[in-house]
Amino acid sequence: MTFEPTLDFARRLDAQDPLREFRQHFLIPPAPDGTRESLYFCGNSLGLQPRTARAAVERQLLNWQELAVEGHFKGETPWMHFHQRLQEATAQVVGARPLEVVVMNNLTTNLHLLLVSFYQPTATRYKVLMEAGAFPSDQYALESQVRLHGLRPDDAIVELTPRPGEHTLRPEDVLAKIEELGDSLCTIIMGGINYYTGQVYDMAAITRAGHAVGAQVGFDLAHAAGNIPLHLHDWDVDFACWCSYKYLNSGPGGVSGVFVHERFADQPELLRLAGWWGHDEQERFKMRKGFRPMRGAAGWQLSNGAILTMAVHEAALAEHVAAGGMPALRRKSEQLTGYLEFLIQRLNLPTSRLEIITPQDPAQRGCQLSLLVHQNGRDLFEHLMAAGVIGDWREPNVIRLAPVPLYNTFEDVYHVGEVLAEWAARQ
Ligand SMILES: *Cc1c(COP(=O)(O)O)cnc(C)c1O
């Protein structure tokens, strides 16, 4: 598509957008001057509230009010089986079979639970590979998992670093490192998309390469779920987890999703930290000794579900599905992000001042563009905020902007371009 830097052009694209109605399904916070909506470009950090979220929570509050403990088994949405209501849509979002997914806990908790099962080092095969500069929680989780096995993080954790002068990983370098580690590599755990650079990693190729050397392969999909098409089952990924509050719009601290490949569905002996909600449903309330997991990902559940946040998640997933799921969202997303990139390039700032570190290749990125601002970065960020553009700032000098296809418009992107141009003209 050839883009044009005019309001007219942006409005034309919006008029033709098959998803244009969905913006009305979300609550957009006001700009600081109170006269209009903000330009919300921060769905990478916290997605907006679906209008249906409140009623979904109120419905469960009413169940609690009227049914109290009976709500576990009675009413239209018995809490005992509530996680099943999320299974089909969740499987669609990540390209899985329903048996392979479950929604529970929070992301870092789930990362730990999965690493207990999928990072089981031996004396010779104990290395774990991740990208350098992964989200801090993932780094801390991994360090502590390594220590749990009596190993030293600086020995066991191998980090992938971009080549000197580059900001993102070359796909061939990732594969070469996996091959080099060979028999010593126990587990690969990478982001599906790096939170800082917005780079999408080639999960299919990484999984193939990992399996070829006998390693297990998992992804943290916090920035990928609801953002890019995923095919975890077909890619043969072993395990994955993600949060629901970024591109899945399910509210602060919302529940997390887990994927465990079907081939582990009937391996009750696979080591895990167990709890009663993972125990065979038929026997759960017999309260007997001896853990017998449910089949599939459900066998990793620990506790009875957080119904209020799961209710929001159900409402938010319904929006995702109604929009046509990832294929429809992705079509618009590539254009929205492409348009933002086009407008930033038109600023004509030298890369010594401002550069987009997110890959240019649409296959290697999702919604987000990361702007590395070499001088006056904080000043640019404050200029954006004052003009009602909500993005986010990541130390030391990156601004992340993510136009989200469910609720952002081409006109939003056009206006952000204008705000950036005002700043650039002063430089
Ligand atoms: C957002 C994010 C987290 C946050 O973890 P919580 O447990 O939900 O607080 C962790 N890892 C990555 C990669 C993230 O992007």
Side-chain angles (χ1 to χ4, degrees), residues 228-368:
I228 57 166
L230 297 167
H231 305 281
L232 298 184
H233 177 86
D234 291 344
W235 293 340
D236 215 26
V237 168
D238 294 298
F239 67 100
C241 48
W242 55 94
C243 56
S244 64
Y245 52 79
K246 292 174 179 165
Y247 294 100
L248 293 172
N249 310 308
S250 301
V255 277
S256 158
V258 161
F259 166 91
V260 177
H261 197 277
E262 195 175 39
R263 69 179 151 276
F264 306 105
D266 293 302
Q267 292 192 19
E269 70 287 356
L270 180 55
L271 187 69
R272 70 192 82 188
L273 296 182
W276 73 319
W277 229 250
H279 189 84
D280 176 13
E281 217 167 46
Q282 311 305 322
E283 304 256 302
R284 187 178 300 152
F285 288 90
K286 296 194 175 147
M287 310 300 211
R288 288 207 194 108
K289 261 178 92 69
F291 177 67
R292 291 221 328 251
M294 309 243 290
R295 295 190 64 220
W300 270 262
Q301 293 174 104
L302 295 181
S303 301
N304 73 94
I307 298 299
L308 299 182
T309 62
M310 281 160 92
V312 176
H313 193 32
E314 185 182 13
L317 284 170
E319 295 294 343
H320 180 96
V321 172
M326 269 335 298
L329 292 168
R330 177 63 176 175
R331 260 192 304 279
K332 178 174 170 190
S333 173
E334 283 187 11
Q335 292 183 359
L336 270 181
T337 298
Y339 193 39
L340 180 61
E341 179 183 46
F342 165 80
L343 294 173
I344 294 169
Q345 281 164 349
R346 276 182 55 86
L347 303 174
N348 262 325
L349 289 168
T351 53
S352 59
R353 313 261 348 215
L354 182 149
E355 58 183 315
I356 300 175
I357 57 173
T358 309
Q360 278 185 358
D361 173 11
Q364 284 192 65
R365 70 185 185 199
C367 296
Q368 171 187 325

Side-chain angles (χ1 to χ4, degrees), residues 8 71 83-84 110 120 155 165 204 213 226 239 244 257 269 286 299 320 323 366 385 391 394:
D8 234 36
H83 66 274
Q84 291 170 1
N110 287 337
Q120 294 189 45
D155 179 30
V213 299
F239 67 100
S244 64
E269 70 287 356
K286 296 194 175 147
H320 180 96
M385 292 294 279
R394 283 291 170 266

Side-chain angles (χ1 to χ4, degrees), residues 100-119:
E100 294 174 318
V101 295
V102 74
V103 165
M104 60 183 192
N105 311 322
N106 292 86
L107 173 54
T108 307
T109 310
N110 287 337
L111 189 57
H112 275 297
L113 293 178
L114 290 169
L115 286 169
V116 164
S117 299
F118 295 99
Y119 177 60

Side-chain angles (χ1 to χ4, degrees), residues 83-265:
H83 66 274
Q84 291 170 1
R85 302 175 63 79
L86 308 169
Q87 224 167 357
E88 193 64 49
T90 298
Q92 258 191 51
V93 170
V94 297
R97 307 211 160 137
L99 178 75
E100 294 174 318
V101 295
V102 74
V103 165
M104 60 183 192
N105 311 322
N106 292 86
L107 173 54
T108 307
T109 310
N110 287 337
L111 189 57
H112 275 297
L113 293 178
L114 290 169
L115 286 169
V116 164
S117 299
F118 295 99
Y119 177 60
Q120 294 189 45
T122 65
T124 55
R125 189 188 280 282
Y126 66 95
K127 302 265 185 190
V128 48
L129 182 67
M130 81 187 311
E131 80 265 35
F135 194 86
S137 200
D138 300 44
Q139 298 185 41
Y140 307 150
L142 209 52
E143 281 171 23
S144 54
Q145 286 280 334
V146 161
R147 288 214 172 86
L148 194 64
H149 291 282
L151 299 166
R152 285 201 341 263
D154 62 347
D155 179 30
I157 299 174
V158 180
E159 290 190 336
L160 291 155
T161 339
R163 294 187 190 186
E166 299 185 8
H167 299 292
T168 52
L169 294 171
R170 298 209 194 171
E172 65 270 24
D173 289 356
V174 178
L175 303 182
K177 179 57 87 177
I178 294 169
E179 211 179 314
E180 179 196 318
L181 289 167
D183 284 350
S184 70
L185 185 60
C186 181
T187 303
I188 300 171
I189 174 70
M190 291 177 68
I193 298 184
N194 180 267
Y195 82 102
Y196 193 77
T197 63
Q199 182 180 21
V200 173
Y201 300 125
D202 185 343
M203 289 171 258
I206 291 169
T207 306
R208 266 197 308 277
H211 287 173
V213 299
Q216 291 193 300
V217 185
F219 295 97
D220 181 331
L221 302 174
H223 282 262
N227 180 5
I228 57 166
L230 297 167
H231 305 281
L232 298 184
H233 177 86
D234 291 344
W235 293 340
D236 215 26
V237 168
D238 294 298
F239 67 100
C241 48
W242 55 94
C243 56
S244 64
Y245 52 79
K246 292 174 179 165
Y247 294 100
L248 293 172
N249 310 308
S250 301
V255 277
S256 158
V258 161
F259 166 91
V260 177
H261 197 277
E262 195 175 39
R263 69 179 151 276
F264 306 105

